[in-house]
Each structure stands twice: as C-alpha cells, then as structure tokens.
Amino acid sequence: MLRIPNFFSCLLIFASIGCDRMPGKPTVATPVAIGSSAWTQSTFDTNCRGCHSQGAEGAAIPLIDAGYWKVATDAQVIQVISHGQGVLMPSYLESNGGPMSAEQIAAFVKGMRSLWGAGSPGGQGGISDVVVAGNADAGAHVFASACASCHAAGGSAGSVTDPMYLKLISNQGLWSAIVYGRAALASPAWNEPMPNHPNGLTPTEVADVVSWIAQARPVSPANNQNASNAK
Amino acid sequence: MNRDAIIKLLKQPVQWVEERTGVIAFSAPLLTHHVPRSAKWWYVFGSATLMFFTIQIVTGVCLGTMYAPSASNAWESLRYIDEEIPLGWMLRALHGWSSSAMVVMMAIHMLQVFMHGSFKYPRELNWITGVFLLLTVLALAFTGQVMRWDQDAYWGLGIGAAIVDRVPVFGDQMRALMLGGPIIGGETLNRFFALHVFILPGAAIGLVGIHMTLIMKNGISEMPKPGEIVVPSTYRKEFEERMHKTGVPFFPDAAQRDMVFCGVCLILLVFLAAYYGPFGPGGMPDPTLINTNPRPDYPFMWIFGAVSLLPPASETAIMLISPVIGIAILVAVPFLSNSGERAPSRRPGMMLLAVFVVMAIVALTWEGVTSPWSPVMNGWSALPTPTQFVKGRTPLQMQGAVVFQYAQCRNCHELGGFGGKRGPALDEIATRMSPDQIVRQVQQGGGNMPAFGKNLNSAQMTAIVDFLSTLRPANEPDSTIPGAQLPLPIKSPLTLNEPFTGTGVPAEIATGASSR
C-alpha cells in the first residue's frame, strides 16, 4: 500500500525540483556587457569582418593581426572607425549617422587590442600610423627603385598608380597599405626587404612615396568631390 | 455495514441521476460499440488528434486565466507567464507544441483515411466534417500565433491583411473587418482573441461532436482489402452484419491501442515542451524595427514558401483562387468517388496524388524554413572575402573586393559558399560573363537585381568589375569571345598621369602592356 504514495511523492519532489529547470525554460537574456571580449568579438564579426579579417581572408587590412596593433594607436583606430576613411570605410559614430556612441567605439578599440594586440599598447612599430606629408620628387625615385618592379602599371602585383585605384583609396589608405603590408599575401611591410632596399624603407621614404603616388590621383571638376573625399 | 450495503449506497445517487437524464444509457455505446476486428494500429491517429485537442482546451483555459488580451500588455503578460509563474513556461510550451502536434496528427489521420478510402459511402459526412475541423484547427493555429503579439504575429497579420486586401471589390471592407480598422492595433488583437478563445474552439467542439456522432452512426471502417468493394445499396446492411458477427467492443479491444499510442504521444509532447520550450514571444511587435526576420509557425511554413516562390504576376490570382479550389477539392473528395475499391493497391492514382501532395508540402516547408530568397542582411559586413579570391589580386582588384562588400553584393550573392542565395553564386562569374556584360548587369540590374549604376561611381564600377573578372577557376578560360577586342577600362575623362618610367625600371614593365 505504501508503494503508490511513495511513487507519487517522489514524482512530486522531482516535479517541484526538476521541472522548472528543464532546458526549454526561457532564460532571461542578459545583455552582453559593452567592452567584454564576447561583445567585442560579436561586434567585430557582424560589422567589420567582411573586409577586415585575418590572414589572407578579406580584402582590406586584417585587424586580427598582432602586427597591426603593434603599430596602430588607439587614437587613430578610433578616428577611422568614428569618421570613416576614404570612399569605402563607413563612419560608425552616431553623429555621423553610424550605429555606435563614442564610448562604445573607444571600448571596442580597447577590446580589439586586448583580444589581438598581444599586449602591445600600439605606436611601437617605429613609424607613425597616421599619414605624414612627404616630398613627391624624392618619392619618385623611391618608387622607381623599391616599388616599380612589382607595382608599376602592368607590374606583376598590379599598378598602384592606376587613377581608378587612387580614386578609391585615400592617402591614409596608401600609407597603411605600405606600413602594414599583407604578410599572408606575400606583400612586404614597410620595413621588410624590397627591391634595392634590403632593410625596407625609412619613414621618410614612405612619406615621400605616398606623396608621389597621390599625385597620380585624377583631379577634375567632375570628380573634385571624390578626390577631396578620398583625401 | 457490509460490502453490499456500501455498493447499494453508492449506486443510489447514480441511479437517481440516470433515472432523470439517461446519461449512462446514452453514453455507454461510446465504449461498448463494436469496431472491426481488423482495426489495429492504423486507427489510432484520430484518437491522438482528439487527445491533443483536449490538451489544447485544458492548457488554453489555464493560459486564459493569465493572458492579457490587450495590445499594450499581451507581450509583457507572456514574459510574465514565462518567467514569474511557476512552470508557466511549461504551460505555454505544452499549448504551443500540442497545437503543432494536433495539426500534424490531423494531417496523418486525414492521409490514412484518404489512402484507405474510408471516406466512401456511408462516411462522406465524416470526411466533410473532418475537412471543416482541419480548417478550424488551422484557423486556431493562425489566431494562436497572433496571441503572441510579437514580430512574427505582427508581420503575419500584415501578410494576411495584404492577401485579403487583394480581393476584388470587397478587399477594403474585408481587411477592415479582419483588422478592426485600417491598421493593426488593439482592436485587431481583441478580435483575434475572441476568435481564438470563443468562436473557433466552440466551432471545433461542435464539429468534434458531429464527427463523433457520425462515427457512432456509421461505424469504423474495416481495413481495406483488394476486391472488397463498397456498394452503397448493400454496404450498410452487410457491414452491420459483419460487425455483429466478428466485431469487437471498442473498449477495451481497440481502446487499448489508442491509449498506448496516446501515451507515447503525450510523453513525446512533454519531452518536446520540456526540451525546446515555448514558442516565442519574439521581438516586440514594432513596425519600425526593420532588423527582424519574421516567420510563420510550422503549419503555415509551406504556404509561406509557396507564396514566396510565386511569379509576381500571378500572385493575386493564385493566392486568392487556390485556397478556394483546394478546399473545394477536399470537400468534393467523397463525392468524386464514394463507392468501389478502397484498397491502396487498387487505387494507384490516388496514392500517387497523396504522395505528391505530401512531398509538395514537405518541400515547400523546407523552402519556407531555409527561405533562400531572403538576403543575408549582414553578409556585406560579416562575411569576409574568401582567401582564394584575395590571393594574387592587384590593388585595384582588392579595392573592387572591398566595393563588392561595401555595395552589399554579398547579401544576395555567394562567394566561396557564404552569402545570400537570392542571386547566383559569383565564384565562377568570369566564365559566364565578360567584363562588358558584368558592367551592364551591375549598372542596369535586371532579372530581379536592382540597378547599381547610380550607387557606384566610375572608379568603384571599374574596381568591382575588375575584381569580378578574376572570379574563375585557374584552369578555365574567361568568357571573352576569341578574337574580340579586349574591353576598355572605364576611364575618367581626365587621366593625367602616365605610368612612371624612371630609371631602373625595365621599359616593358614601366610602360606596361595591359595585365589582362
């Protein structure tokens, strides 16, 4: 006779303890803390990864890259994210029509650095991460000796003086392309061996060659706006 | 008191009631009526449907004590039931899963009746009440989805209203009747609430009553045997004789199988509810939130798939006429063939039809679930250009790859298996289209692709076309017509700088033949 009550009381205990902890119970979604690595990663994965990925993936500068964060300073990365850059990098700051507040952008940059920066505070690459004006005439010679064998019109790695290319990339973009290179695509960074420059370029030479390349950017009444945007 | 005296004492009130109502005499045949000896496991689906319906009523009444049917509180009250009420989420989960299970079980029951030809004489009205039960249950499922009052509900109503709106002449009035006004609002929820908890359940209970009465009147059909044909003039007499001779009482012979099957269904239902939890509520029903991906519940997924795949020109006609034709055909089934063979093996055409309908619904449901026509809205910013399409590209082509992301091409076009499926995958586009054709397609659109001509400047167009022209396997030629002149790059009117020809650069590289 005792068996049935025992069975039911066991069931009752099980029900009162167990049932309300089943996997199907909806959980109250806890908002992801801004600045946490999960937040940084998911923000990056939804908004940035399409162009800025890692290794040989993605067409723009990879951000999952310790080499990038060694040179790049937080101030400059915040500047680019907030206000966009060139023609193709959108601005993400609220006041520019973007989705993020200034605090969020700052936390995001800090989060990326802690995820991928390998402990570097930035600004350690021996060269500025912001474009510096140079001497175009001197740059002509740098280009001819160090760059032209691959990057002249028709060169094996493709022209960088193509006016269409220059209409899409800002001087800051040229600067970053030279400074960071793209190791996974066999493109040397600024201080890595190049033709006639076994130790790479000096910061002055980088500035000069950017100035020279930028001269090839077409300026006409019709694309004045684009040209000024690009700068 | 001895045992007999106790039984007598207990029997007295029962007899008192029975004498005045006859309820036992009336309901006893529900248990004792004879069913065919051959009615085995094929005959359990109707009972299971009824069990799910009972669960719906019980859980529905419980939910009705807590749900707030007002536009401003409905969504909150669901959160309240889920989070504050002990096991409230379980109640919602049972109601939701039992609803889907009822639709599925009903479809299986109907399929079994169709395949066994059980709708033939004298059970035509059994079938027809069943068809109306199906429609009632589907209406309950739809109105139940509206009760969640989330984004799915909101957009589901929007689509429903848009379909109703297309009715010629009376569209406006019908939409106003459905929504209780020109827009989806509080009135809409209240009339769907009235439908969901009063009108439709009442109709369903009435129809179940008629359905059961007809079953009692006409008996359960026997398992079909090839050669045993239904002749309306003699069927009833012969059937009743066979039942008298070889039939078995419903309880316990047939009922035990029903009970076993219903028990298994119940365990599965509780498992589903406990493991997967309640349906929704999804996001707030706010039409200004465009970052939403509304989907109908599963019973309507195939309709969602079918409507999404319709050619635009035929939408109105098909959406308005096909339900009418579909229901008419379902109602007409027993009239189209109410005698003759019942065995599936003697009705191959009907079996093929049933298989076709099931396959079509499964396939359309799959299409609805995956909805490959929907763009991947964050594809442009989330899916990186795959390595193989980045390696070995020129700076201009790399910029083209960025433009490809920037212009959100990726939302509709796959690269390397990732991206939208709305348009064709572009992994090998250069083998199909020449650069000139790509320029035309991007600029002017066509084939459901928007025109991007005004959104891309000449440099962006040049870069993107240059990039797309590289998308082909290394061992396949591009689509350039042999002997044709190479396409001219789109140049701006003022190309000022000639390539540098400084010292130390081989002339042929510096002046450069085209890389193409």
Side-chain angles (χ1 to χ4, degrees), chain B residues 340-475:
Chain B
E341 286 283 359
R342 287 178 51 219
S345 58
R346 299 288 171 92
R347 295 157 61 231
M350 294 296 107
M351 295 308 107
L352 276 179
L353 181 66
V355 169
F356 171 77
V357 169
V358 171
M359 276 170 52
I361 288 177
V362 169
L364 286 171
T365 301
W366 174 251
E367 289 292 315
V369 172
T370 53
S371 37
W373 50 82
S374 294
V376 178
M377 290 312 281
N378 63 3
W380 69 284
S381 61
L383 303 173
T385 315
T387 305
Q388 70 266 34
F389 302 129
V390 174
K391 278 190 169 157
R393 265 59 180 185
T394 68
L396 181 64
Q397 287 159 357
M398 293 283 268
Q399 290 300 305
V402 179
V403 175
F404 187 78
Q405 303 285 133
Y406 174 82
Q408 312 199 350
C409 309
R410 201 69 186 278
N411 294 12
C412 292
H413 292 286
E414 277 186 337
L415 274 189
F418 294 98
K421 294 184 170 62
R422 188 72 183 86
L426 299 183
D427 295 18
E428 303 183 355
I429 185 64
T431 64
R432 303 195 297 271
M433 292 175 87
S434 71
D436 284 341
Q437 289 171 311
I438 297 176
V439 169
R440 196 217 64 82
Q441 182 65 32
V442 176
Q443 241 166 9
Q444 300 176 15
N448 232 339
M449 173 171 158
F452 282 81
K454 286 191 173 173
N455 300 346
L456 300 174
N457 64 29
S458 62
Q460 289 167 330
M461 183 66 82
T462 309
I464 199 170
V465 172
D466 200 15
F467 169 65
L468 290 172
S469 305
T470 66
L471 300 185
R472 62 185 167 87
N475 57 351

Side-chain angles (χ1 to χ4, degrees), chain B residues 45-47 49 104-114 211:
Chain B
F45 304 119
S47 311
T49 311
V104 170
M105 205 49 76
M106 207 167 196
I108 295 175
H109 176 50
M110 219 165 169
L111 198 63
Q112 177 261 323
V113 167
F114 181 80
H211 201 65

